[in-house]
Amino acid sequence: MTYISTLYAYLFYFAAFVLVAGLAAKVFQYARTPAPLKIPTTPAPTTRAGVAFRITREVVFFESLFRGNKWIWIFGWIFHFGLFLVTLRHLRYFIDPVWAPIQFIQPFGVYGGIAMVVGLAGLWARRFLVDRVRYITSPSDHLILALLIAIGLSGLSMRFVVHTDVIRVKEFFQGLYVGQFSTLPADPLLLGHLLLVALLMIIFPYSKLLHMPGLFFSPSRNQVDNPRERRHIAPWARRLEQQ
């Protein structure tokens, strides 16, 4: 067991803890934030089933973004769908035996990696080429996009340029489940890729990437459009009425 492998094992333990604890804290914060007004974006559904269908369309198809800006929608959807395929492809490193659907998705995951980088490149170019977007872009926006593209390019490089021992990589991550540290391949490209992934896990709960769980708590999306049929009272206002 090498020093580098031990360091990476503890790094991923720390990154996983920060990711899970940070997400849990943010979701708890979102859930406790009062929504004192009935503010669904119209036209809005009038039933809870309709709200669930609306959020599903937003999550899967980015419906509001499609209506707002077609170019951003194209690159954003390409990136997210590519990331989805890449995530499914990487599940093979964490489960044994590998499920049949995950085996089937493996070749498509490679194309997903390419789509992920293309989508990110388009979104990043927009922050340079569109004046009003460039004006509101902060250094952290550039750094996050650069980090995601570096993860995608390093992963694709291990597929098309310099191959690594994926069997040992799988043994390493499965060993983390039970506290048994295996030796990682000493490939600089692999170590760099894993370092970037761990960094992404650490910053995820505290970055703009947190829009993913935040969507489900958006009052403009998760509220039923029934202000006339049912009075909307925030929990904190109801407690004040009872005093």
Side-chain angles (χ1 to χ4, degrees):
M1 183 63 196
T2 65
Y3 171 76
I4 294 295
S5 298
T6 303
L7 180 63
Y8 269 78
Y10 284 113
L11 173 62
F12 272 95
Y13 277 135
F14 175 73
F17 172 78
V18 173
L19 177 65
V20 174
L23 279 177
K26 284 295 183 180
V27 169
F28 182 72
Q29 177 185 347
Y30 292 156
R32 287 179 55 86
T33 301
L37 302 175
K38 176 71 75 170
I39 53 172
T41 301
T42 56
T46 57
T47 64
R48 297 305 302 177
V51 168
F53 184 56
R54 181 189 200 182
I55 292 180
T56 300
R57 296 199 311 269
E58 191 69 37
V59 171
V60 177
F61 300 109
F62 302 176
E63 184 179 45
S64 61
L65 184 59
F66 178 80
R67 294 174 178 173
N69 189 300
K70 299 298 188 297
W71 280 108
I72 302 176
W73 177 82
I74 290 174
F75 288 115
W77 197 86
I78 288 175
F79 159 60
H80 284 86
F81 185 69
L83 179 62
F84 174 69
L85 291 178
V86 168
T87 302
L88 291 180
R89 174 180 168 84
H90 281 68
L91 283 179
R92 63 176 175 163
Y93 296 109
F94 304 96
I95 56 177
D96 190 28
V98 180
W99 306 329
I102 303 303
Q103 295 180 12
F104 174 78
I105 210 70
Q106 292 302 306
F108 300 100
V110 177
Y111 299 114
I114 298 173
M116 172 182 162
V117 173
V118 170
L120 285 168
L123 294 174
W124 201 4
R126 162 180 165 265
R127 293 191 174 272
F128 290 102
L129 301 177
V130 181
D131 291 340
R132 59 184 177 82
V133 178
R134 183 171 64 248
Y135 179 76
I136 63 173
T137 298
S138 65
S140 64
D141 297 323
H142 290 297
L143 290 174
I144 289 175
L145 286 167
L147 174 62
L148 290 170
I149 288 180
I151 290 174
L153 289 177
S154 59
L156 289 172
S157 297
M158 285 187 290
R159 177 64 176 82
F160 295 107
V161 182
V162 180
H163 300 285
T164 190
D165 189 343
V166 296
I167 302 299
R168 289 170 61 189
V169 174
K170 181 170 183 174
E171 290 176 352
F172 173 80
F173 281 103
Q174 290 198 322
L176 296 182
Y177 292 152
V178 293
Q180 296 179 356
F181 299 166
S182 300
T183 303
L184 272 173
D187 301 334
L189 193 58
L190 171 66
L191 297 178
H193 180 73
L194 294 179
L195 181 63
L196 293 174
V197 171
L199 179 59
L200 177 64
M201 294 169 64
I202 292 171
I203 69 173
F204 185 90
Y206 311 102
S207 67
K208 292 182 180 179
L209 299 173
L210 205 63
H211 63 267
M212 180 177 62
L215 171 66
F216 296 94
F217 297 92
S218 172
S220 62
R221 291 287 181 267
N222 64 14
Q223 290 185 346
V224 178
D225 189 14
N226 59 353
R228 296 181 179 179
E229 294 82 1
R230 183 175 181 180
R231 183 187 178 193
H232 176 73
I233 305 178
W236 60 267
R238 185 177 293 109
R239 289 194 295 269
L240 289 178
E241 287 186 348
Q242 295 174 352
Q243 292 180 357

